[in-house]
Amino acid sequence: MNYIQKITRVRERGQLTVPNEIREALNWHDEELTVKIETTPSGFRVERVPISHPQHPKKKLTKEEGERIWEDMKRISKLGKQGVNLTKFLRHDRDTHF
Protein backbone atom coordinates (compact mmCIF):
# COMPACT_ATOMS: atom_id res chain seq x y z
CA MET A 1 0.00 0.00 0.00
CA ASN A 2 1.23 3.47 -0.87
CA TYR A 3 1.51 6.13 1.82
CA ILE A 4 -1.07 8.86 1.20
CA GLN A 5 -1.54 12.02 3.20
CA LYS A 6 -4.51 14.36 2.84
CA ILE A 7 -5.85 17.28 4.86
CA THR A 8 -9.54 17.44 5.72
CA ARG A 9 -11.76 19.27 8.22
CA VAL A 10 -13.84 18.20 11.18
CA ARG A 11 -17.12 20.07 10.70
CA GLU A 12 -19.13 21.82 13.41
CA ARG A 13 -20.95 18.71 14.67
CA GLY A 14 -17.81 16.60 14.78
CA GLN A 15 -18.29 15.11 11.32
CA LEU A 16 -15.06 13.97 9.72
CA THR A 17 -15.01 13.41 5.96
CA VAL A 18 -12.47 10.83 4.86
CA PRO A 19 -11.10 11.96 1.47
CA ASN A 20 -11.79 9.69 -1.52
CA GLU A 21 -8.09 9.06 -2.12
CA ILE A 22 -7.73 7.67 1.41
CA ARG A 23 -10.85 5.49 1.09
CA GLU A 24 -9.62 4.12 -2.24
CA ALA A 25 -6.15 3.39 -0.84
CA LEU A 26 -7.66 1.57 2.14
CA ASN A 27 -10.23 -0.18 -0.06
CA TRP A 28 -13.09 1.47 1.86
CA HIS A 29 -16.05 1.46 -0.47
CA ASP A 30 -19.14 3.64 -0.16
CA GLU A 31 -20.84 1.16 2.17
CA GLU A 32 -21.27 1.91 5.83
CA LEU A 33 -18.29 0.89 7.98
CA THR A 34 -17.55 0.50 11.65
CA VAL A 35 -14.37 2.20 12.80
CA LYS A 36 -12.50 2.50 16.08
CA ILE A 37 -11.25 5.98 17.07
CA GLU A 38 -8.46 6.25 19.63
CA THR A 39 -7.02 9.37 21.14
CA THR A 40 -3.27 9.90 20.78
CA PRO A 41 -0.97 12.55 22.23
CA SER A 42 -1.15 14.47 18.94
CA GLY A 43 -4.88 13.98 18.17
CA PHE A 44 -6.61 10.76 17.22
CA ARG A 45 -6.27 7.61 15.13
CA VAL A 46 -9.00 5.92 13.08
CA GLU A 47 -8.94 2.19 12.40
CA ARG A 48 -11.41 0.03 10.51
CA VAL A 49 -13.08 -2.59 12.71
CA PRO A 50 -13.95 -5.95 11.14
CA ILE A 51 -17.64 -6.86 11.19
CA SER A 52 -16.85 -9.81 13.50
CA HIS A 53 -15.21 -7.51 16.07
CA PRO A 54 -16.42 -8.05 19.70
CA GLN A 55 -17.75 -4.46 19.83
CA HIS A 56 -19.85 -5.17 16.73
CA PRO A 57 -21.20 -8.69 17.33
CA LYS A 58 -23.70 -10.38 15.03
CA LYS A 59 -26.77 -11.54 16.90
CA LYS A 60 -28.56 -14.63 15.68
CA LEU A 61 -32.20 -15.07 16.60
CA THR A 62 -33.32 -18.22 18.31
CA LYS A 63 -36.17 -20.15 16.73
CA GLU A 64 -38.53 -18.89 19.47
CA GLU A 65 -37.51 -15.24 18.92
CA GLY A 66 -38.06 -15.59 15.17
CA GLU A 67 -41.49 -17.15 15.68
CA ARG A 68 -42.46 -14.42 18.17
CA ILE A 69 -41.46 -11.69 15.68
CA TRP A 70 -43.45 -13.43 12.93
CA GLU A 71 -46.53 -13.70 15.18
CA ASP A 72 -46.20 -10.01 16.13
CA MET A 73 -46.02 -9.09 12.44
CA LYS A 74 -49.19 -11.09 11.72
CA ARG A 75 -50.97 -9.43 14.66
CA ILE A 76 -49.91 -5.94 13.53
CA SER A 77 -51.00 -6.73 9.97
CA LYS A 78 -54.49 -7.61 11.22
CA LEU A 79 -54.63 -4.30 13.10
CA GLY A 80 -54.09 -2.54 9.76
CA LYS A 81 -57.42 -3.91 8.59
CA GLN A 82 -59.21 -2.04 11.39
CA GLY A 83 -59.04 1.45 9.94
CA VAL A 84 -55.27 2.01 10.25
CA ASN A 85 -53.31 2.18 7.01
CA LEU A 86 -49.90 0.87 8.09
CA THR A 87 -48.24 1.77 4.81
CA LYS A 88 -49.37 5.38 5.09
CA PHE A 89 -48.35 5.47 8.76
CA LEU A 90 -44.84 4.12 8.05
CA ARG A 91 -44.37 6.42 5.06
CA HIS A 92 -45.35 9.45 7.18
CA ASP A 93 -43.07 8.29 10.03
CA ARG A 94 -40.06 7.82 7.75
CA ASP A 95 -40.67 11.09 5.90
CA THR A 96 -40.81 13.09 9.13
CA HIS A 97 -37.82 11.48 10.92
CA PHE A 98 -34.45 12.23 9.41
Side-chain angles (χ1 to χ4, degrees), residues 4-27:
I4 297 175
Q5 182 176 351
K6 288 287 180 178
I7 295 175
T8 188
R9 294 186 341 206
V10 177
R11 289 178 273 159
E12 66 260 3
R13 293 188 323 176
Q15 297 172 329
L16 172 67
T17 301
V18 178
N20 285 333
E21 295 87 357
I22 301 292
R23 281 190 268 148
E24 289 170 4
L26 296 174
N27 201 18

Side-chain angles (χ1 to χ4, degrees), residues 10 16 37-40 42-46:
V10 177
L16 172 67
I37 301 175
E38 295 179 312
T39 57
T40 64
S42 62
F44 61 92
R45 186 179 119 191
V46 179

Side-chain angles (χ1 to χ4, degrees), residues 8-71:
T8 188
R9 294 186 341 206
V10 177
R11 289 178 273 159
E12 66 260 3
R13 293 188 323 176
Q15 297 172 329
L16 172 67
T17 301
V18 178
N20 285 333
E21 295 87 357
I22 301 292
R23 281 190 268 148
E24 289 170 4
L26 296 174
N27 201 18
W28 288 10
H29 302 289
D30 290 334
E31 65 209 36
E32 193 170 306
L33 297 170
T34 303
V35 295
K36 175 174 69 173
I37 301 175
E38 295 179 312
T39 57
T40 64
S42 62
F44 61 92
R45 186 179 119 191
V46 179
E47 180 181 330
R48 183 177 182 171
V49 176
I51 301 242
S52 61
H53 191 273
Q55 291 179 351
H56 193 279
K58 285 187 175 181
K59 183 180 185 305
K60 294 189 178 188
L61 294 176
T62 64
K63 185 175 182 178
E64 293 79 25
E65 289 172 325
E67 289 174 358
R68 190 176 70 231
I69 290 171
W70 185 246
E71 290 303 318

Side-chain angles (χ1 to χ4, degrees), residues 80-81 83-97:
K81 296 175 184 169
V84 177
N85 184 329
L86 292 178
T87 303
K88 192 181 284 185
F89 173 81
L90 286 173
R91 184 76 267 150
H92 173 72
D93 183 64
R94 291 183 181 162
D95 288 343
T96 57
H97 292 86

